[in-house]
Amino acid sequence: MPRVDGKVALVTGGASGLGLACAAMLAREGARVAISDIDEAGGAAAAERIGRGTVFVAHDVTGEASWTDALSAVRTAFGGLNILVNSAGIALNATVEETTLEDWRRVHAVDLDGVFLGCKHAIALMAESGGGSIVNISSISGIIAGANLAAYNSAKAGVRLLSKSVALHCARAKNGIRCNSLHPAFIDTPMLDGLTKKNGREEGLAKLARQVPLGRVGTPDDVAYAMLYLASDESAFVTGSELVIDGGISAM
C-alpha cells in the first residue's frame, strides 16, 4: 500500500531541489500533488515530469494574496488538502556586517514569512479536509550557527520554533493537524551553488563531504524520505518535533 495513498499534498518551491524531490516522492507514494513555485516555466515542467496527475500553481510564498490563491487552486483541483510541505527557500552567505537590511528582509520574507503564511492559511483547509501534516523544511543552520550565515541562521531557527508553536496550536484546537520541521545539512541541490562556486562543484562537494561524519553530502531523496515519514500516518504521534538529516554533523 502506498504510504500516502489518496492524500492531497501541496509542496512549495517544487520546481527544483528539495521541493521537487519531495513532490516526486509524494506522487510515487500515492498522493495527489500540487507543486507551487515563483518559477512558472520550471514549475510547469516539473509537474509534467512527475506526472501522476501532478498540477502546477504559480505562487509567490512571500505574498498573502498569493497564498490564498494557491490554496484555492488546490481546493479546486483536488477538493481539499492533507499535506503541506513548506520547501521554498533561498540562502545567503554573508556575515552580520556584510548583510544589508534589504538582503536580511528578503531572506526572512522567503524562508520564514513564507512558512508563516503557509501555516496560517492552510490550517483551515486542512482541518476541513479531516486534518493532516505540515512539514516545514528548515536546516541544520536553524540549530547550528555559522559566522557567514547571519540571515539564513535567523530565518531557519525561526522556522524551527514556529513549527512547534503551530503544532501546539493545532493540538489545542484538536483539528487533527500535526506540524514538524526537517533540518538537513549539505544536500546536493542548487542551494549549494554559493558554497561550491569558488573551486568548482565537484571539488566543493568533496570539501563539504569532509565536514560530514558519514563522509558525503546528502541527496534530495535523503530529505524526501524523512519528509514522507512525517507526512504519512506512520508519524501520527509525532508533532512539534525536529528531524535532523545531517550525516552526524550535530553529534560532533
Side-chain angles (χ1 to χ4, degrees), residues 16-42:
S16 63
L18 295 182
L20 177 57
C22 288
M25 181 73 70
L26 289 165
R28 287 197 301 269
E29 290 293 333
R32 292 175 290 167
V33 179
I35 61 174
S36 77
D37 207 289
I38 199 169
D39 175 5
E40 296 189 25

Side-chain angles (χ1 to χ4, degrees), residues 210-227:
R210 289 193 289 273
Q211 301 178 46
V212 182
L214 287 183
R216 67 172 177 88
V217 299
T219 70
D221 272 354
D222 287 328
V223 180
Y225 276 114
M227 174 282 306

